[in-house]
Amino acid sequence: MTQDTQPTASHYIDGAYLEDTSGDAMAVIYPATGARIARVHAATPDVIDRALAAAEAAQADWARLPGRERGRVLIRAAEIMRARNRDLSILETYDTGKPLQETLVADAASGADALEYFGGLAGSLTGEHIPLGDDWAYTVREPLGVCVGIGAWNYPTQIACWKAAPALACGNAMVFKPSETTPLSALKVAEILTEAGAPPGLFNVVQGAGDVGQRLVTDPRVAKVSLTGSVPTGRKVYAAAAAEMKHVTMELGGKSPLLVFDDADLDNAVGGAILGNFYSSGQVCSNGTRVFVQTGIKKAFLTRLAERLNGAVIGDPLDEATNFGPLVSEGQLNIVMRYIETGLAEGARLVTGGQRLDRAGYFLRPAVFADVTDDMTIAREEIFGPVLSVLDFTDEAEAVDRANATDYGLSAGLFTRDISRAHRVIGALRAGTCFVNSYNDAPVEMPFGGVKMSGVGRENAKAAIEHYSQVKSVYVRMGDVEAPF
Ligand code: NDP
C-alpha cells in the first residue's frame, strides 16, 4: 500500500483522523500473505463518547438543510469515490483479500452507486397531505437522529456506504464500527464524505470488537442500529436495541437455496451457481449454498461445474488475472475446513476442491459436494466460505418444501425456461431477495434483506428510507374546538 492509500489513524471523528493508542492494539493482516500491514487501536470509552457527541452535534443542522443540499454532498462523495476507484479497490483488497478483479467493480463502485442513488432521493423525502373535510392533516418525514452502523468483514466499503447513504440522505448522523478484521476501508469513506462537504461529525468511524459495538448500541444518544453480521450477533444487538425501543435493521446470515430445473440453460445455471458460491471466496451472506438440482440435469450440471471451476485463477489478489482469492482470516479458513471435514464424515461426496493451498495466506480451493442430504451439517449451517452443496430433487413441490425447511430466509434463486414455474416457485419460496435465471445481483435500486432469522428491515432502494426516518403526523383543525365541558 502506498502512503496515500492508507488511512493515517485508527478512528475518524468530527471530520478528522484521531489516534488514541491507549485502546487495545488490533493487527490488520493481509489475507493473501498472513503479513501484518497495519495496526489500529480499539476505541476507548472516551473515543466512543467523542464520536457520539460529534454525531449528535452535527445531526440537527444537517437535518435542517434542504434535502437537495444534503443530496449534493452525497453525490459529490460518489464522484470522488469513482475517481479514486483503483486506490479504494486496492485498499479493499488489502483489507479483505478479495481479488482486485472483483474489488475494482464491486466495492467502491457499489458504494458510489448507493451515495449517488440516495443523494438523488434526498430532495424528494416528503410527507403527505390528508384532507379531512374542513380539517386536514399532514405528515412530515423526519430523521431518527444518531444512527449506529456495525459492519461484517466481507464488504467493508460497501457496507459502510449502504448504511451511511440512506442514513445521511434522511438527515441522520452516523457512527460506524467496521469489523475488527477489516478496519481500513470505512475510514476512507469517512475521509471522502468530509472532502465532499459533509460537516464534521456527520459520519464517524470507530474501531473495536464486539464490546465497542455493544457500547454504541446501548448508548442512550443512539436512535437506530443497523447491523450486518451473523444471527447470534443479531440476536444480541436486536435485544439490546429493544431494551430502549431503538429502531433496527438486521442484515444477517443465510443458507439460501438455488433450484436448478431439468429445463434450465445449463451454462447459465452453472454460472449462477458459481456466482452464488464462489464470488468473494464464498464469503457472501446471500449465497445460494444449497443447490437443489433436478435429477435429469444433475450429471451434466456436475460435469460442467467441475470443468468451469478449472477456470478459477487462484493466487495473488493484486494480480488482475486472479479471480479467486484467499479467505479473510486464518480463523475463517479453519472454520471452513472443519465444515469440509464434517461433510466428508457425514457421507457427502467431494467432487472437486476443498484443499488448502501450499503457500502463505488463507487459500482454499473452491469445493463442490454432491449427494448432500438435507440433514447433513453442511446443508443446514452457514459456512461462509467456498463450499457448494448439490442436493438432488425430482419434483417441484418437494424442492420448494425442502428449500424452505430452514430457519434462514435471506435469498433464493432458480433456473428454468418455464416462465410460469419460475414465478410460481418464487412465490412459494420464503426469502427476502430472490433471483430468476440469475443469482446475487444487488443493484441499489432493488431492496435487499431477509425474512425469518436472516433479518428485519431492508437496505437499498426506496425501502431503506422507511428504516432511516419516521413519520410525524400533524392534525390541523380549521374551526372551533367542540369540547364536552
Ligand atoms: P459477526 O456477527 O461476528 O460480526 C458482525 C459485527 O458485529 C462485527 O463488527 C462485530 O465486531 C460486531 N459485534 C459482535 N458482537 C457484538 C455485540 N455484542 N454488539 C455489537 N456489535 C457486535 O459477523 P462477521 O463479521 O463474522 O460476518 C459474517 C456474518 O455476517 C455471516 O453470518 C454473514 O452471513 C453475515 N453477513 C450478512 C450480510 C447481509 O447483508 N445479510 C452481508 C454480509 C455478511 P467484531 O467482529 O469486530 O468483533
Side-chain angles (χ1 to χ4, degrees):
M1 263 186 301
T2 65
Q3 290 278 291
D4 300 347
T5 41
Q6 263 220 51
T8 56
S10 298
H11 316 291
Y12 194 94
I13 295 174
D14 211 9
Y17 279 104
L18 176 91
E19 193 52 275
D20 178 352
T21 53
S22 58
D24 291 344
M26 296 155 45
V28 186
I29 305 294
Y30 181 37
T33 61
R36 196 187 83 195
I37 51 165
R39 186 181 6 224
V40 296
H41 291 268
T44 58
D46 174 56
V47 167
I48 295 169
D49 182 60
R50 286 166 74 168
L52 288 168
E56 196 173 40
Q59 192 264 325
D61 285 347
W62 176 252
R64 265 194 292 275
L65 286 180
R68 186 174 33 80
E69 286 183 33
R70 293 199 299 270
R72 199 180 297 146
V73 172
L74 301 186
I75 289 167
R76 221 180 282 135
E79 284 160 4
I80 299 172
M81 283 191 87
R82 290 208 177 100
R84 292 194 199 143
N85 185 46
R86 178 161 282 272
D87 278 355
L88 294 168
S89 303
I90 290 171
L91 185 68
E92 173 96 13
T93 291
Y94 275 113
D95 230 0
T96 62
K98 292 185 295 184
L100 190 56
Q101 190 190 97
E102 264 187 38
T103 55
L104 281 169
V105 295
D107 294 280
S110 144
D113 285 352
L115 290 161
E116 179 181 58
Y117 177 85
F118 287 104
L121 278 187
S124 57
L125 304 178
T126 55
E128 58 179 340
H129 171 263
I130 305 161
L132 296 166
D134 289 341
D135 295 347
W136 52 285
Y138 64 95
T139 62
V140 185
R141 188 159 285 284
E142 295 190 331
L144 302 173
V146 174
C147 301
V148 160
I150 300 177
W153 40 255
N154 56 346
Y155 282 83
T157 305
Q158 183 189 80
I159 291 171
C161 293
W162 281 17
K163 297 189 189 310
L168 303 191
C170 290
N172 304 285
M174 178 164 271
V175 178
F176 185 80
K177 188 200 86 66
S179 162
E180 61 185 308
T181 311
T182 54
L184 303 179
S185 303
L187 292 164
K188 283 283 164 184
V189 175
E191 201 183 310
I192 286 169
L193 279 163
T194 298
E195 204 177 322
L202 192 68
F203 181 74
N204 310 275
V205 176
V206 296
Q207 307 295 349
D211 58 322
V212 171
Q214 198 177 5
R215 194 174 265 272
L216 287 168
V217 172
T218 50
D219 192 284
R221 286 168 285 190
V222 172
K224 191 230 157 87
V225 181
S226 176
L227 170 80
T228 298
S230 61
V231 170
T233 304
R235 274 206 178 99
K236 282 188 227 159
V237 172
Y238 201 170
E244 294 188 56
M245 225 52 88
K246 294 177 182 180
H247 297 247
V248 295
T249 298
M250 294 282 144
E251 293 294 352
L252 308 178
K255 190 72 194 175
S256 300
L258 170 58
L259 277 54
V260 179
F261 289 91
D262 281 345
D263 69 341
D265 178 293
L266 181 64
D267 258 305
N268 283 338
V270 168
I274 288 172
L275 283 177
N277 280 274
F278 300 124
Y279 205 68
S280 302
S281 299
Q283 304 163 119
V284 180
C285 51
S286 49
N287 272 356
T289 47
R290 291 183 296 143
V291 184
F292 291 91
V293 181
Q294 207 163 12
T295 42
I297 200 176
K298 177 185 172 187
K299 194 158 175 278
F301 181 88
L302 284 172
T303 305
R304 191 71 189 114
L305 181 60
E307 275 168 17
R308 284 187 54 179
L309 283 177
N310 288 330
V313 181
I314 311 177
D316 176 7
L318 290 166
D319 178 345
E320 281 181 56
T322 298
N323 56 26
F324 190 87
L327 291 163
V328 76
S329 64
E330 185 150 32
Q332 191 62 20
L333 175 73
N334 290 335
I335 290 171
V336 177
M337 285 178 55
R338 272 201 297 278
Y339 274 112
I340 291 171
E341 282 162 22
T342 306
L344 288 168
E346 292 181 5
R349 177 164 62 92
L350 188 60
V351 176
T352 179
Q355 307 80 25
R356 183 172 185 176
L357 260 63
D358 185 17
R359 57 176 286 169
Y362 314 124
F363 291 90
L364 181 70
R365 282 190 199 289
V368 174
F369 276 106
D371 305 335
V372 178
T373 53
D374 299 349
D375 56 335
M376 289 182 185
T377 307
I378 57 170
R380 287 187 289 106
E381 296 182 12
E382 183 183 44
I383 299 174
F384 222 58
V387 183
L388 182 160
S389 293
V390 172
L391 302 96
D392 308 347
F393 79 94
T394 47
D395 168 71
E396 176 186 311
E398 165 219 338
V400 168
D401 283 349
R402 291 169 57 200
N404 284 336
T406 168
D407 290 338
Y408 292 112
L410 187 51
S411 294
L414 55 78
F415 280 84
T416 179
R417 285 194 175 95
D418 179 340
I419 187 169
S420 303
R421 170 159 60 199
H423 295 293
R424 184 172 61 236
V425 171
I426 287 291
L429 289 172
R430 295 174 64 204
T433 312
C434 296
F435 308 95
V436 173
N437 291 326
S438 192
Y439 207 86
N440 262 354
D441 313 76
V444 66
E445 297 89 341
M446 181 172 118
F448 178 82
V451 301
K452 298 199 276 181
M453 294 303 285
S454 292
V456 292
R458 291 292 175 268
E459 297 201 295
N460 287 344
K462 289 178 197 149
I465 299 297
E466 300 293 330
H467 302 289
Y468 282 101
S469 61
Q470 58 198 341
V471 169
K472 175 187 275 177
S473 299
V474 182
Y475 187 100
V476 181
R477 182 175 297 282
M478 301 301 285
D480 295 330
V481 173
E482 280 180 32
F485 52 85

